[in-house]
Amino acid sequence: MGLEIPGEGTVPAAQMNAVRCPEGVNEAEVSKTLLNEFSIEIGAGLGPLAGKIWRIGIMSDSMAPVTSC
């Protein structure tokens, strides 16, 4: 699919992954489709990374329907 994790040589965050959006893919449309068709919500890139990455949170069991707001 052409996905890659940016930031070679950096320390990754345990709660979030940043994934580079492949060239020619509309990141907003992918996010919209994931939310509307699969109830999966991912964040867009911010600042200079807007439109270039997705921010994917790793929630594990802490985000069970009973505990989420």
Side-chain angles (χ1 to χ4, degrees):
M1 289 184 64
L3 301 177
E4 61 182 75
I5 297 177
E8 187 176 321
T10 62
V11 178
Q15 299 83 7
M16 184 184 71
N17 285 325
V19 179
R20 192 177 312 276
C21 182
E23 192 77 30
V25 173
N26 183 324
E27 62 86 17
E29 284 299 316
V30 172
S31 296
K32 181 179 173 182
T33 299
L34 286 173
L35 180 60
N36 293 334
E37 294 186 22
F38 303 101
S39 297
I40 298 173
E41 187 170 1
I42 61 175
L46 303 172
L49 295 176
K52 298 178 182 177
I53 67 165
W54 293 293
R55 296 175 298 119
I56 303 172
I58 311 300
M59 301 303 292
S60 71
D61 293 335
S62 67
M63 199 54 192
V66 174
T67 60
S68 63
C69 299

